[in-house]
């Protein structure tokens, strides 16, 4: 596993705002460069570079659009590390990759598609969970809705899930948006934010977007994964816990506990076998649940 040294990453963030300076310019003393540009104030020179010759968008496009996701242990991460090192070296900085770890297993997505194939075709917006196992080709199976909140609920489905694609969870309520999701902060609000401070000795709250029962959900997800694996379920499909309008958030796959009861993350080399796991956009997941509740018997295809 490779990473960029912290000083190199900091240099990249600064250099992203700066243009590629001609080699001859690098040889000029700073006062002479300032005089040549007509800017004597260092702050003014920094602003001039950032506002008039910024490369931040070119670099952002390369890292996000061209290279894309950079999951730890993935080919995308190595490609991003190599590109960053080469870019810093191109600017005349000393940059190198250093090994770190141990971490665990790598993971990459080669191909994925999801759709309802019966009673009609419905293309679905979804994404596999990281470190989810593959489906070994195209999987076509009946859909079963499992809205289990505890181990007692799981027992109600014993013997009913073999070979099924399981919709796990209830309908996620979505609110219509009548206000813009982004707002420009007023001068008054900025001033108010600048004077806010946390009382001494207080602990930080839960990160925004994490439910209060996150730990309990995490522990139950491991138990549910073990149950579905033992019952022979073909795949697990869940709604995105955040986002709407086709935007979804994906985390790592849930894996059963080890035989001694110890839990390990999905990327661990000790991680037990688990079931393929998919996250769907909430709107599409909700529609599938409503179809099942209405008595329909949809079939899905995953690849």
């Amino acid at each position: 596993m490779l990473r960029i040294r912290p000083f190199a990453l900091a240099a990249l963030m600064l250099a992203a705002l700066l243009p590629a300076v001609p080699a001859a310019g690098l040889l000029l003393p700073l006062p002479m460069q300032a005089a040549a540009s007509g800017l004597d104030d260092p702050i003014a020179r920094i602003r001039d570079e950032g506002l008039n010759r910024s490369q931040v968008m070119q670099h952002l496009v390369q890292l996000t659009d061209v290279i894309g996701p950079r999951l730890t242990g993935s080919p995308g991460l190595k490609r991003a590390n190599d590109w960053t090192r080469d870019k810093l070296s191109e600017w005349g900085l000393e940059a190198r990759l250093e090994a770190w770890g141990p971490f665990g297993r790598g993971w990459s997505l080669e191909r994925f598609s999801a759709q309802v194939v019966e009673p009609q075709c419905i293309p679905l917006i979804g994404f596999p969970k990281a470190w989810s196992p593959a489906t070994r080709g195209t999987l076509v199976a009946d859909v079963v809705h499992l809205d289990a909140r505890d181990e007692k609920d799981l027992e109600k489905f014993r013997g009913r899930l073999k070979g099924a694609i399981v919709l796990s969870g209830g309908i996620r309520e979505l609110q219509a948006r009548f206000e813009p999701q982004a707002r420009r902060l007023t001068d008054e609000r900025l001033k108010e934010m600048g004077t806010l401070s946390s009382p001494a000795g207080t602990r930080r709250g839960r990160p925004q977007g994490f439910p209060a029962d996150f730990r309990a959900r995490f522990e139950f997800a491991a138990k549910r994964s073990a149950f579905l694996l033992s019952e022979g379920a073909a795949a697990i499909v869940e709604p995105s816990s955040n986002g709407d309008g086709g935007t979804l958030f994906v985390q790592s796959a849930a894996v059963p506990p080890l035989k001694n009861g110890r839990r390990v993350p999905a990327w661990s080399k000790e991680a037990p076998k688990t079931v393929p796991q998919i996250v769907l956009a909430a709107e599409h997941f909700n529609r599938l649940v409503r179809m099942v509740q209405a008595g329909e018997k949809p079939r899905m295809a995953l690849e």
Side-chain angles (χ1 to χ4, degrees), residues 28-45:
L28 291 175
L30 289 178
M32 294 180 64
Q33 293 183 39
S37 65
L39 298 173
D40 295 328
D41 180 20
I43 301 300
R45 287 161 50 203

Side-chain angles (χ1 to χ4, degrees), residues 222-263:
K223 295 177 181 178
R224 181 189 59 204
S225 177
F227 175 80
L228 293 175
L229 181 64
S230 67
E231 289 294 298
I236 304 173
V237 177
E238 301 176 3
S240 176
S241 59
N242 286 296
D244 56 27
T247 300
L248 60 156
F249 293 78
V250 185
Q251 297 177 324
S252 60
V255 296
L258 299 176
K259 292 182 179 180
N260 60 8
R262 184 167 63 91
R263 292 191 300 273

Side-chain angles (χ1 to χ4, degrees), residues 53-69:
R53 288 173 292 281
S54 172
Q55 296 184 29
V56 65
M57 288 308 300
Q58 296 95 310
H59 299 154
L60 186 63
V61 165
Q62 184 67 33
L63 287 170
T64 59
D65 292 337
V66 177
I67 296 177

Side-chain angles (χ1 to χ4, degrees), residues 49-95:
E49 294 291 347
L51 294 175
N52 298 316
R53 288 173 292 281
S54 172
Q55 296 184 29
V56 65
M57 288 308 300
Q58 296 95 310
H59 299 154
L60 186 63
V61 165
Q62 184 67 33
L63 287 170
T64 59
D65 292 337
V66 177
I67 296 177
R70 301 175 298 282
L71 183 73
T72 303
S74 69
L77 178 64
K78 183 179 185 305
R79 186 182 177 191
N81 285 347
D82 290 343
W83 179 86
T84 304
R85 176 203 57 205
D86 295 344
K87 179 60 67 174
L88 292 172
S89 299
E90 177 186 320
W91 293 337
L93 299 173
E94 179 185 351

Side-chain angles (χ1 to χ4, degrees), residues 29-258:
L30 289 178
M32 294 180 64
Q33 293 183 39
S37 65
L39 298 173
D40 295 328
D41 180 20
I43 301 300
R45 287 161 50 203
I46 292 174
R47 285 176 55 83
D48 178 60
E49 294 291 347
L51 294 175
N52 298 316
R53 288 173 292 281
S54 172
Q55 296 184 29
V56 65
M57 288 308 300
Q58 296 95 310
H59 299 154
L60 186 63
V61 165
Q62 184 67 33
L63 287 170
T64 59
D65 292 337
V66 177
I67 296 177
R70 301 175 298 282
L71 183 73
T72 303
S74 69
L77 178 64
K78 183 179 185 305
R79 186 182 177 191
N81 285 347
D82 290 343
W83 179 86
T84 304
R85 176 203 57 205
D86 295 344
K87 179 60 67 174
L88 292 172
S89 299
E90 177 186 320
W91 293 337
L93 299 173
E94 179 185 351
R96 61 180 179 271
L97 301 178
E98 291 187 352
W100 68 279
F103 170 71
R105 301 181 298 162
W107 188 86
S108 63
L109 178 62
E110 296 181 356
R111 182 172 64 252
F112 171 75
S113 66
Q115 59 185 321
V116 174
V117 293
E118 293 181 18
Q120 73 261 30
C121 178
I122 307 174
L124 301 172
I125 299 175
F127 205 89
K129 285 190 173 184
W131 290 282
S132 169
T135 58
R136 298 181 181 179
T138 302
L139 168 66
V140 180
D142 294 333
V143 172
V144 175
H145 179 217
L146 183 150
D147 189 10
R149 303 179 185 277
D150 53 37
E151 293 181 71
K152 290 183 179 180
D153 287 343
L154 290 177
E155 288 299 321
K156 300 175 184 177
F157 291 86
R158 190 172 293 280
R160 299 168 50 190
L161 305 176
K162 186 174 180 60
I165 295 176
V166 179
L167 301 178
S168 181
I171 287 179
R172 191 184 130 212
E173 295 297 330
L174 300 173
Q175 301 298 324
R177 295 188 180 275
F178 297 103
E179 299 292 337
Q181 297 185 52
R183 295 185 179 87
R184 185 175 295 278
L185 297 177
T186 63
D187 292 342
E188 291 75 15
R189 178 54 181 160
L190 289 172
K191 183 178 180 180
E192 179 185 351
M193 293 171 64
T195 58
L196 293 177
S197 60
S198 299
T202 59
R203 298 179 61 185
R204 293 184 178 181
R206 184 177 65 257
Q208 186 176 3
F210 278 75
D213 58 346
F214 176 77
R215 179 176 292 276
R217 290 189 187 186
F218 177 79
E219 293 177 350
F220 178 65
K223 295 177 181 178
R224 181 189 59 204
S225 177
F227 175 80
L228 293 175
L229 181 64
S230 67
E231 289 294 298
I236 304 173
V237 177
E238 301 176 3
S240 176
S241 59
N242 286 296
D244 56 27
T247 300
L248 60 156
F249 293 78
V250 185
Q251 297 177 324
S252 60
V255 296
L258 299 176

Side-chain angles (χ1 to χ4, degrees), residues 276-290:
Q277 298 168 42
I278 310 299
V279 173
L280 286 187
E283 293 87 349
H284 285 176
F285 182 89
N286 289 353
R287 179 182 179 184
L288 285 175
V289 172
R290 290 193 297 266

